[in-house]
Amino acid sequence: MPASLPHRHVRDPIESILGDLLEHGGVIVEEMIDGEVLARINTEVDPWVEAADPKMRHLNPALGFFFGDRTRHVGGVAGKSRTFATEMLCHPILLAVCDRILKPACARYQLNLAHVIDRGPGSDRQLLHRDELVWVHLPRPHPEVQIASMTALSEFTAELGATRIVPGSHRWPIERQPEPHEVADAEMPPGATAIYLGSTIHGAGANTTADRWRRGLHVSYVLGWLRTEENNYLATPPDVVRDLPRQAQELIGYAVHDAIADLGGYLGMLDLRDPVELLAEGRLGGAREGPVRSAEAARS
Ligand SMILES: [Fe+2]
């Protein structure tokens, strides 16, 4: 009997979704976004996906091997799709999951990366991995540091290369590798989301179709005091983030991480202020000019 993931519906009680996620390390939430939101996100990212080069030059050959050369990538989605930033980044289910799992270990959590992954025909299976290993220097054991999600922007079937997730692997010793029957295909219709923990083993499946692409939206959140995988300040600069709701600005990383109540300190200040406040005051973006010298001082 092959492994399978629990399925829930977006209107199920959050406790049942959280219970499945914590028990199995992953859960599929059906109808996470409705057809209209799905269509808008797809329309907004379409030009970026079309322009993406599957044979792009990656940071290094290891990353090129990991992603292969038949996948179109669009990073920084929060700065490219307003619908994503308002409807998905701040989705109540994703935030409830982060509140429960990440919040106890930080003063605020933040977006880690938002990435459209369009896997083309002939894409190979991705190496099974744990996302949290990007923070490899973190001593073990540690609390969950990351929550990941993959939303199907097109149909996810095994033959199209649905994400493969290993239920229960979040409890395994770090060296244990899954047997084939322990791997579940996250098959789901467009608009559904697979949510999984940073400690859960997973990887993209092989797209064995002749001519169909599999488009997914990978979104993850991380403790507010860890460096994010994507540089979200550059991906969504002040002139872009200014027009987004405050909650999105905070999640993208413009709010300070304020651990004063826990006898800690601030992270992410600018001129000893909270950047999200400076944004609200219209003092972020464009060139930052220094104070004008008085005429008297200039003469001396
Ligand atoms: Fe991953």
Side-chain angles (χ1 to χ4, degrees):
M1 194 58 183
S4 63
L5 283 168
H7 280 240
R8 292 285 174 181
H9 186 270
V10 69
R11 284 193 295 276
D12 283 346
I14 186 64
E15 289 306 325
S16 64
I17 295 171
L18 268 163
D20 279 348
L21 178 60
L22 290 168
E23 172 69 19
H24 302 282
V27 58
I28 291 175
V29 181
E30 307 270 4
E31 297 189 29
M32 184 81 162
I33 50 175
D34 65 32
E36 189 259 332
V37 169
L38 173 70
R40 272 198 279 140
I41 292 177
N42 268 325
T43 301
E44 289 165 8
V45 301
D46 268 342
W48 298 93
V49 174
E50 293 303 321
D53 176 10
K55 299 190 190 304
M56 67 175 280
R57 190 160 152 242
H58 285 280
L59 265 174
N60 61 42
L63 213 53
F65 173 76
F66 182 72
F67 285 119
D69 62 0
R70 296 179 190 209
T71 297
R72 296 185 289 196
H73 301 268
V74 179
V77 179
K80 293 170 178 161
S81 165
R82 185 179 174 84
T83 305
F84 165 76
T86 56
E87 307 287 337
M88 193 78 220
L89 173 64
C90 308
H91 196 292
I93 288 186
L94 291 176
L95 299 191
V97 165
C98 292
D99 280 340
R100 184 65 62 88
I101 298 175
L102 298 183
K103 189 70 174 34
C106 60
R108 77 163 62 244
Y109 48 84
Q110 60 185 330
L111 175 68
N112 177 46
L113 62 81
H115 178 188
V116 171
I117 304 178
D118 197 35
R119 308 255 308 155
S123 300
D124 285 335
R125 270 184 182 170
Q126 199 177 44
L127 209 66
L128 290 171
H129 62 278
R130 291 177 163 93
D131 281 352
E132 68 176 20
L133 284 178
V134 296
W135 296 280
V136 69
H137 300 101
L138 206 58
R140 292 180 170 277
H142 57 69
E144 287 293 339
V145 298
Q146 189 229 38
I147 295 293
S149 67
M150 177 66 85
T151 296
L153 295 182
S154 65
E155 195 184 14
F156 269 43
T157 63
E159 68 161 353
L160 280 162
T163 311
R164 306 163 72 225
I165 297 178
V166 183
S169 57
H170 60 307
R171 300 182 197 277
W172 292 2
I174 194 75
E175 63 280 358
R176 180 173 162 192
Q177 294 297 315
E179 300 293 332
H181 70 275
E182 294 177 302
V183 184
D185 294 312
E187 295 194 303
M188 51 187 174
T193 300
I195 306 175
Y196 50 98
L197 304 174
S199 56
T200 301
I201 297 176
H202 67 282
N207 181 343
T208 57
T209 66
D211 54 5
R212 297 175 63 196
W213 289 73
R214 185 226 76 176
R215 186 186 290 186
L217 174 56
H218 177 51
V219 182
S220 64
Y221 302 82
V222 65
L223 304 182
W225 48 265
L226 273 180
R227 179 95 197 249
T228 57
E229 275 185 83
E230 190 156 53
N231 189 320
N232 291 317
Y233 313 111
L234 297 178
T236 315
D239 290 335
V240 175
V241 85
R242 178 180 297 118
D243 296 329
L244 296 179
R246 167 96 179 207
Q247 190 177 32
Q249 296 172 347
E250 292 176 353
L251 284 166
I252 289 167
Y254 280 83
V256 289
H257 183 272
D258 175 358
I260 292 293
D262 295 326
L263 304 180
Y266 291 106
L267 298 173
M269 294 184 290
L270 181 63
D271 293 339
L272 298 175
R273 295 282 314 278
D274 188 340
V276 82
E277 296 291 347
L278 297 175
L279 204 53
E281 294 166 12
R283 298 174 63 192
L284 273 191
R288 302 192 77 222
E289 288 168 7
V292 178
R293 299 178 77 201
S294 69
E296 196 177 325
R299 274 198 301 275
S300 64

